[in-house]
Amino acid sequence: MTNFIKGSPMLFRRNHTLKTFDPTCEDLPPILADCLSFLAQKGLEEEGIFRKSGGVTEVDALKKRYLKGRPVNLSEEVEDVHVVSGTLKSYIKNEVSEPFFTYHLYPCYAAIAEMEDADTQVACLRLAFTALPPGSLTFIRALAKLCEDITHHKEVNKMSTDNLAKLFATLVYPREQITVDTMEAVHRVGLCVITLIIDRYGDVFYSTDPPSVPESFQKLFTTCQANAQPARGGKTTPKGKSHKARSRGSSTTKDKAGAEPAGFEISVKSVKHVSENESVAAMKDTIAKLGEEVRGLKERARTGDDAAEAR
């Protein structure tokens, strides 16, 4: 079955044999394909689309039917647009273990957010997207087109690019723990990337010109590719509480010795330095130093808390 996003030459395929998202497969599972198509057809003028939530019971029930592989006909069975948008948001937040934008490209996204020229940002983002798994690129492109179409009706639906970028910025977040100190910078990176794929949709996904990027970014991109882990196909594992724990800034997974892994936090400030390094070893050394600094800050914070309790 072929699905068309309204008003776009882009199409994606719905693969009914997929129960969950598979980044190695260019096709989309029914839950993603159906929700995107439904919202493109019936949700463009719905006020607060993606911002307002559908009923929790209805969203959970609909998602479970898809996860169990049961047939669903959204057009005939669902009237509330917000139930469908809520199902889509719940699925991509809790049921996809490998993020669409991929963790290994986050330094590239952070570097793009630091650039001042919009055309250079677009060119660099196009280059970064060449490293995405086919399924991830398909979904990002489809979501971007849907959001672009939504903004064309912003006078009615009250959803501008800025509103949508705030909602989907978390899709770009890094694997590492996000703390109070890094939240603003990390969120700004997400806002930048999501804004670009919406406002510059055609340039990002359909430009035929070869991307011309700064040499420093090309080196950073090469380093990120070297650090990439192969995308895993097949069944995905729900992120669930682990994702929420990262967003609240709670403890990260510890290694066997009980210490937090070095380099669990990457700040936007580090990207400029990382981009100047030509080797993976140099990049890992930079990240390790950042991890040591963060652990020192945490230790000082704990010492301060103990002193406060003693008083």
Side-chain angles (χ1 to χ4, degrees):
M1 177 179 179
T2 300
N3 292 261
F4 291 85
I5 292 295
K6 190 174 182 180
S8 170
M10 183 275 298
L11 57 84
F12 58 86
R13 290 186 297 271
R14 177 188 190 273
N15 189 332
H16 71 278
T17 65
L18 296 175
K19 288 186 178 181
T20 57
F21 172 71
D22 180 354
T24 66
C25 179
E26 190 174 7
D27 300 343
L28 296 182
I31 188 170
L32 292 180
D34 291 356
C35 288
L36 288 168
S37 295
F38 179 93
L39 295 173
Q41 296 168 7
K42 300 186 177 183
L44 298 184
E45 296 185 352
E46 186 71 24
E47 182 174 340
I49 182 174
F50 285 125
R51 177 171 53 80
K52 294 183 178 180
S53 300
V56 175
T57 302
E58 291 83 353
V59 168
D60 287 345
L62 182 59
K63 186 174 71 171
K64 286 179 181 178
R65 288 179 61 190
Y66 274 111
L67 293 178
K68 291 180 179 179
R70 296 176 180 173
V72 179
N73 190 327
L74 292 181
S75 297
E76 295 183 0
E77 299 178 29
V78 182
E79 296 182 359
D80 189 349
V81 169
H82 301 295
V83 169
V84 178
S85 63
T87 300
L88 178 63
K89 289 192 299 180
S90 177
Y91 182 82
I92 63 180
K93 178 180 179 182
N94 300 313
E95 308 297 337
V96 180
S97 62
E98 299 185 27
F100 301 105
F101 286 85
T102 71
Y103 290 130
H104 77 277
L105 287 174
Y106 180 78
C108 290
Y109 302 140
I112 290 171
E114 293 293 308
M115 299 174 182
E116 297 182 357
D117 182 70
D119 290 336
T120 303
Q121 287 181 313
V122 169
C124 290
L125 190 60
R126 288 177 57 209
L127 177 62
F129 279 0
T130 63
L132 289 175
S136 298
L137 181 60
T138 296
F139 175 76
I140 291 172
R141 186 175 54 200
L143 179 66
K145 181 54 187 173
L146 175 60
C147 288
E148 184 198 40
D149 287 345
I150 289 172
T151 62
H152 293 164
H153 302 271
K154 61 183 178 182
E155 291 80 9
V156 179
N157 59 40
K158 312 299 182 186
M159 296 300 292
S160 63
T161 296
D162 183 59
N163 296 141
L164 292 166
K166 289 177 181 177
L167 291 172
F168 291 111
T170 56
L171 295 180
V172 189
Y173 281 12
R175 182 198 305 272
E176 292 71 28
Q177 178 188 21
I178 299 172
T179 67
V180 174
D181 294 332
T182 61
M183 173 57 76
E184 182 178 354
V186 168
H187 192 62
R188 182 163 59 86
V189 174
L191 289 176
C192 173
V193 173
I194 300 300
T195 297
L196 284 173
I197 66 173
I198 297 175
D199 284 349
R200 300 292 296 272
Y201 170 79
D203 296 328
V204 171
F205 296 105
Y206 291 106
S207 175
T208 57
D209 298 328
S212 177
V213 304
E215 183 178 355
S216 59
F217 185 84
Q218 179 66 61
K219 292 179 179 179
L220 175 61
F221 174 67
T222 301
T223 301
C224 289
Q225 281 188 302
N227 289 339
Q229 297 293 327
R232 297 194 302 270
K235 186 176 181 179
T236 54
T237 302
K239 291 187 293 186
K241 295 181 179 179
S242 63
H243 174 80
K244 296 178 181 178
R246 288 199 305 272
S247 65
R248 290 196 300 268
S250 59
S251 300
T252 57
T253 303
K254 297 186 177 182
D255 59 23
K256 293 181 180 179
E260 290 171 335
F264 70 91
E265 182 177 80
I266 300 177
S267 69
V268 173
K269 291 182 180 179
S270 71
V271 173
K272 290 183 178 179
H273 179 70
V274 171
S275 66
E276 295 171 1
N277 295 315
E278 298 185 15
S279 67
V280 175
M283 182 177 180
K284 289 182 176 179
D285 181 65
T286 298
I287 295 175
K289 291 178 180 178
L290 284 169
E292 293 173 1
E293 292 176 4
V294 172
R295 286 195 294 278
L297 290 172
K298 284 190 171 184
E299 182 60 33
R300 288 195 292 274
R302 282 194 292 268
T303 302
D305 290 340
D306 292 342
E309 289 180 4
R311 291 195 297 272

